[in-house]
Structure formats: C-alpha cells, structure tokens
Amino acid sequence: MDIFNLTMNKVFLNLGKQPLANSFLTNVKKKTLDQEFFYNLKICFNTKNFLVSIQKPVNPKKQYTDKYAHRASESKTMRSAFKLVAKKLHKRFKPKKIMEIGSNDGVFLKNFDKKSVIAVEPCKNLAKITKKRFKTYDEFWNLKLSKKIIKQKKEKIDLIFSANTISHIPNLKETFMGINNILSDKGVLVIEDPSLQKVIKNNSYDQFYDEHVYVFSAIAIQNIVKNYGLRLFDVEQISTHGGSNRYYICKNNSKHKNTLRLKHNLISEKFLKLNTIESYKKFAKRVLSSKLRLVKLLRKLKKNNKKIISYGATYKSTTVFNFCKIDTRLIDYVTDTTVNKQGKYTPGMHLKIIAPNEGINNHVDYAFLGAWNFKKEIFQKEKMFLKRGGKFITHVPKVMIIDK
Ligand code: TYD
C-alpha cells in the first residue's frame, strides 16, 4: 500500500487564504495587488504514516525563484548554530565527501574544506553566492540530480546535510530515493526541521506556511524513510527556528545503532499522542483561541492610542497576519534587518517593512515579536527599547505582553 495514501489525510486546521510567505511586494499599486497569489492553507494528518502536511502544497517553482529572500547567514544565532553543528558532525562521522541539500548562502558549508563539499541550491540568486567557492548545482534535488552528481563526481557522499529544506519538498519519495542512491554505505543523512512536538506544545501554528509542506515528528520520519531503505537511528532536539529536531538517518543495514535518545523522543511523542488525530483537533481549537486573544489585545492597545509595530518580517508572521487579518489598522509597520526586505510590503496584509534603526524609535510602545524564535538575541539587542518602557507582544506559547 502507498505510504503516502492521500485518502488517509484528514484536515484538522484551516488557516485560510494565504499568500506565499516570502512574496514581499515592491509596491502596493492596484495592479500589483491584483496579481498577488493566494492559496488555501489547510493542514492535515495522515492516519497511516502520521505525517502532518499542507493538504495542497504550492508548486515549488513558484516559491524557490531567483528572488528568494531568506539569507541563513543574516542571523548571529544561525551562523553560530551552523558552525557548531559542522564541527560536531565532522568529529562524530569524519566524512570525506559532504553535500548539502538547500545550501542557501553557504553558511554551513563554509565550515568545511572547499574541495570536499557539494552544494545543491535551486534558488539561483543564492547558488550564485556559493558558486564562487564551492561546486554548486543550482537545481531542485531529485533522483535524476543524484545520478548526475554520481556520474560527474564518480563517488558517493558520506555526509548529507539538509537544514530547513526536506520539509519544503512535496515529493518525499523522490527526495529519499535520491538520497539513498547517493549516500555511501556507511554514510549519514542529517536533517534539521521544525519539531512538531514543539509546535503542538508552543501553539506555534505559524510554523505552517507554504514552504513548510511538512512539519515532521520522529514518528513520521521513521515511518517514511524505512520505505526507501533508510533508517532513523538518532534524533536530537535543538533550539533553532523555535524548536527543531535534528534527525540522523543511515542505510538500513548500516552499523549505526539506534540510540537511547531516539527511543526517548519516540516515547515523548507518543505520550503527546502525535500519532492520533484527537491531539491535532485539540490543537486546532487552541489555535483559534490564540487568534481571538491576539486580535483582542491589539485592538485594546490601539484603542488606548498605543503605537504597535512588528519585529522581524518573518515568513511565520505572514501566517499570523493573514490568519488573524492583522493589517495597518492594528500594526503600523514591520522592522527587519534584511536589506532586501526593507522598503517592501508584507505578503497579503501589506505592512511596510523598514530598517530597525528607523523603525524602533521613541514613539513605539509595543513590538509584536514576529521573530519570536530569536527572542533572546532580540532582547539583548533592544535593551534601550525595554529600558525606556517599550514592551513586546508574543503569541508563543500564549498571547502575552513581555518585557523580559
Ligand atoms: P526567520 O527566523 O528565518 O523566520 P522565518 O523562517 O519565519 O522567516 O527570520 C527572522 C527574520 O527576522 C529575518 O528576516 C531577520 C529578522 N531579524 C531582525 O529583523 N532582527 C533581529 O534581531 C533578528 C534576530 C532577526
């Protein structure tokens, strides 16, 4: 039986009409707004393989273009996280050949010797950056590309790394077949993606947007990879992107032993009932109540003439703003450090994005934490804002005002 049997997909959450999370607009002229693309963001649970996914994913060719805005090396937190994991993986597996699927601007690969690495990145603007230093394939990952690389390089890969990418690829069958094809017998695939356990615990429904076709659990990953001759042997909980899992996967017959850590993770996911539809139905109720509370709070503050902005033009906040219908009536503008987001408008709700040095001024009373996953880094940076009485608003794990 097909493990992706779509008739087993049960919708539990409807996040409404949504734009592409990274489709920042250059202007808000009628013609531009008329052409804006929207789709229905419905989330479902597969009762056969326990995979949580978007019911109807958007075509990747619409998403990963030469205008892709996200730069992994923008944040200090991510730069040091990638440096640390590169060191750790090198020590644990001593790989000779390394490949990254979704290498973005090379923030992970730059920690390795350039002769030993291969980058795969379909966004041409990003691939152009890594091409200067590494062998880069500016193509979508699939079985065909794995065959092409083997033919050209005449060797297999010992370490495949992929952070925040596998969960973006609708066709998991092709993805894992390609990986199995190119992975050496002793090789290891390491993937990092937002953790479903954390999403459910933190009510962080904004992890669902067009690019996150899947939000994985260890239970689901274990079920999926075994169909492609692969085995999940370890999983590590990490703090990046608001709580992610780092999955360690090898070939079925490889010597890597299943770890105790994997066993414990699977137990805690089963304890949370991530393998039953009931927990997702309860989650959907909590999401709806989060929406009502957030809108109520913003309206109340606005009524009291408070100036509210948003901090970080994240993809996640695209989901929040469009689901909760938060526009310029509630939030004045968004600040973001990413130069190529500045001067643009957020998808769907069309809030202006400006540079933090301009936007975080003495008139701001509240800042919605769009980048709640960087709370620590942001609180460090915004000591002055907090000192003069500025406050943040978050919806994770529940809607509240915070100043520490
Ligand atoms: P990211 O964490 O990648 O979230 P998502 O995947 O939901 O887009 O994005 C963080 C965004 O926040 C990024 O555009 C940079 C911005 N940012 C700031 O503007 N200031 C900061 O201090 C930090 C840490 C991030």
Side-chain angles (χ1 to χ4, degrees), residues 70 209 311 314-316 336-338 341 373-374 381:
H70 177 76
Y209 53 84
Y311 199 108
T314 57
Y315 298 173
K316 292 188 286 295
D336 200 289
T337 49
T338 316
K341 287 184 188 173
N373 46 318
F374 289 115
K381 209 188 275 181

Side-chain angles (χ1 to χ4, degrees), residues 1-6 49 51 101 141-147 166-182 189 213-214 216 220-221 223-230:
M1 194 179 173
D2 178 12
I3 57 146
F4 293 109
N5 189 342
L6 298 182
N49 58 24
L51 192 57
I101 302 175
W141 175 253
N142 53 31
L143 184 59
K144 198 170 143 207
L145 179 58
S146 78
K147 288 179 182 164
I166 304 296
S167 61
H168 296 209
I169 310 177
N171 195 338
L172 291 182
K173 187 175 172 182
E174 272 274 332
T175 303
F176 287 116
M177 278 170 75
I179 286 169
N180 191 4
N181 186 40
I182 204 166
L189 160 70
V213 178
Y214 303 99
F216 294 132
I221 284 286
N223 281 340
I224 303 294
V225 301
K226 69 179 176 207
N227 291 280
Y228 305 106
L230 299 167

